[in-house]
Amino acid sequence: QVQLVESGGGLVQAGGSLKLSCAVSRTVFSIHFMGWYRHSPGKQRELVASITDGGDKKYADTVKGRFTISKDNAKNSVYLQMNNLKPEDTAVYYCGAQYRGSDYWGQGTQVTVSS
């Protein structure tokens, strides 16, 4: 079992920054795949950024160069630094994990970017 709790969402103006945090109930070192997803009304859920247990990172083209995913094994946390935010980044952001063949999700945190 893996519990995930996101925090750090909020309202920000276009061009601003936010840092999302995901607190994980077990050591992130043991989790093969962790990702940040987002979902907004009328759109499919999108994998924004991911990081493996080996530290390999991938980003969606829509956020490449603006978002950075990282993890802190000592704090059992995964982060998403979001810079130069755009109104189209508005969504509920979810932390997800794949562990021993199962998928786990947090409750999500709302990010709203005003123009």
Side-chain angles (χ1 to χ4, degrees):
Q1 291 283 338
V2 179
Q3 284 79 47
L4 307 169
V5 179
E6 302 97 335
S7 61
L11 173 65
V12 64
Q13 288 188 331
S17 299
L18 282 174
K19 186 175 183 178
L20 305 183
S21 299
C22 175
V24 186
S25 63
R26 64 185 313 118
T27 174
V28 296
F29 184 77
S30 68
I31 298 177
H32 169 64
F33 179 95
M34 293 203 67
W36 283 97
Y37 301 76
R38 66 185 181 188
H39 183 244
S40 55
K43 295 183 180 180
Q44 289 189 330
R45 185 176 61 194
E46 177 185 19
L47 174 59
V48 172
S50 64
I51 186 167
T52 67
D53 51 0
D56 293 329
K57 303 176 184 180
K58 291 185 178 179
Y59 299 92
D61 288 341
T62 52
V63 306
K64 203 170 292 183
R66 300 188 297 122
F67 290 11
T68 302
I69 189 170
S70 62
K71 62 179 178 177
D72 187 328
N73 292 332
K75 294 183 178 180
N76 292 343
S77 295
V78 178
Y79 306 98
L80 185 68
Q81 177 67 49
M82 306 184 294
N83 297 328
N84 190 21
L85 282 161
K86 304 176 180 180
E88 51 263 42
D89 294 320
T90 295
V92 178
Y93 284 72
Y94 298 89
C95 179
Q98 293 178 5
Y99 179 71
R100 293 188 177 181
S102 296
D103 294 332
Y104 299 90
W105 301 95
Q107 82 288 351
T109 185
Q110 176 71 46
V111 172
T112 303
V113 184
S114 63
S115 57

